[in-house]
């Protein structure tokens, strides 16, 4: 009898890359209007997050909550769950992420998004741009059709990557509570992609590393504990 420690990641994968990427093709063609709407929501959120003046904070948080709802229900539950036995154990994490976004949006003083010009902002903006603009075209490099593109707000991988960027663009002591779920998903997905010989797995791990590094640097420099100014608190557009 084979012992459990003789199994590797490849033995736990019950689907091929062809089957996996067909999921996105089916979702993109069946739910194209919702997929497009989720992407537009991400673009709106990114535009607000990159503005000066910390405006539109609640709008950003609500939009991110909505795209996580759709990614969890639309992709994970409707398409990924039938071929991956682990999905029912991962869905509660997606639900937790939605609840956290909702809590932050409902607080009297939500997270403050805005361009600060520090390293975290540059890295955050790069991650958001990569998730929204670049990630859908990665499949072309690997020989897949564009209809199989993984799009922010629907596919879990770019949604998690973009969320890391949004958190780095934010300011607030408790913002780190929004990182564990997308970080964990990036690590889990990197393992799946690595088994399928997809080089994008290294990009997922690189995003995890750079996010943790920027978080450590912010904590070291006291960025997350810096008090908001009275002008920011009184901002009626928040």
């Amino acid at each position: 009898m084979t012992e459990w420690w003789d199994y590797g990641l490849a033995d736990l994968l019950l689907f091929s890359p062809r089957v996996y990427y067909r999921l996105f093709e089916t979702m993109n063609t069946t739910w194209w209007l919702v997929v497009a709407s989720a992407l537009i929501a991400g673009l709106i959120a990114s535009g607000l997050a990159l503005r000066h003046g910390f405006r539109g904070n609640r709008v950003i948080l609500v939009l991110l909550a909505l795209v996580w709802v759709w990614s969890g229900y639309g992709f994970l539950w409707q398409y990924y769950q039938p071929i991956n036995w682990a999905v029912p154990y991962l869905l509660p994490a997606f639900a937790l992420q939605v609840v956290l976004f909702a809590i932050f949006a409902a607080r009297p003083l939500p997270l403050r998004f805005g361009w600060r010009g520090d390293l975290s902002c540059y890295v955050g903006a790069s991650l958001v741009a990569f998730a929204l603009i670049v990630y859908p075209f990665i499949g072309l490099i690997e020989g897949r059709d564009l209809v199989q593109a993984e799009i922010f707000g629907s596919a879990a991988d770019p949604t998690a990557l973009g969320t890391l960027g949004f958190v780095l663009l934010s300011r607030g002591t408790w913002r780190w509570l929004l990182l564990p779920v997308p970080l964990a998903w990036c690590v889990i997905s990197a393992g799946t992609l690595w088994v399928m010989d997809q080089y994008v797995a290294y990009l997922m791990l690189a995003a995890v590393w750079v996010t943790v590094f920027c978080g450590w640097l912010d904590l070291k420099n006291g960025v997350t504990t810096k008090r908001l100014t009275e002008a920011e608190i009184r901002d009626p557009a928040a």
Side-chain angles (χ1 to χ4, degrees):
M1 181 177 178
T2 304
E3 302 293 346
W4 65 267
W5 53 78
D6 292 328
Y7 289 94
L9 283 176
D11 299 306
L12 300 176
L13 197 67
L14 303 179
F15 51 88
S16 66
R18 179 176 175 275
V19 171
Y20 179 71
Y21 290 112
R22 281 276 294 180
L23 300 180
F24 301 106
E25 179 178 348
T26 304
M27 182 172 64
N28 291 340
T29 54
T30 304
W31 297 94
W32 65 270
L33 185 58
V34 182
V35 170
S37 298
L39 177 60
I40 292 172
L43 292 170
I44 293 173
S46 65
L48 292 173
L50 290 171
R51 293 176 61 185
H52 292 278
F54 302 97
R55 296 175 181 270
N57 300 291
R58 286 190 175 86
V59 175
I60 296 170
L61 292 166
V62 169
L63 290 176
L64 291 176
L66 291 175
V67 299
W68 272 82
V69 168
W70 169 240
S71 181
Y73 173 76
F75 172 63
L76 254 70
W77 182 251
Q78 292 293 325
Y79 291 97
Y80 201 22
Q81 182 264 147
I83 67 170
N84 191 334
W85 59 270
V87 166
Y89 302 98
L90 300 174
L91 275 173
F94 273 63
L96 173 62
Q97 189 72 13
V98 173
V99 170
L100 288 174
F101 277 129
I103 291 174
F104 275 99
R107 291 178 65 200
L109 186 63
L111 291 184
R112 317 295 281 190
F113 293 87
W115 184 257
R116 302 184 306 272
D118 56 11
L119 178 62
S120 289
C121 271
Y122 281 105
V123 173
S126 299
L127 287 174
V128 171
F130 181 80
L132 286 167
I133 302 171
V134 179
Y135 205 97
F137 297 99
I138 287 181
L140 296 178
I141 301 174
E142 297 177 341
R144 302 195 305 271
D145 294 331
L146 189 57
V147 72
Q148 296 180 339
E150 297 175 67
I151 300 174
F152 177 89
S154 297
D157 289 3
T159 301
L161 285 175
T163 300
L164 297 180
F166 278 109
V167 175
L168 290 179
L169 284 168
S170 68
R171 176 178 166 186
T173 305
W174 298 99
R175 63 173 173 161
W176 306 122
L177 292 176
L178 296 171
L179 280 181
V181 172
L183 282 174
W185 177 264
C186 287
V187 173
I188 293 171
S189 180
T192 302
L193 294 168
W194 180 75
V195 171
M196 295 193 299
D197 294 323
Q198 304 297 305
Y199 293 112
V200 70
Y202 299 104
L203 295 176
M204 301 291 286
L205 292 178
V208 170
W209 182 88
V210 74
T211 299
V212 172
F213 175 77
C214 287
W216 170 81
L217 198 62
D218 282 352
L219 289 171
K220 180 182 178 183
N221 296 331
V223 173
T224 58
T225 57
K226 184 179 179 181
R227 289 182 177 272
L228 297 172
T229 66
E230 291 185 6
E232 292 170 1
I233 295 175
R234 292 197 304 267
D235 181 9

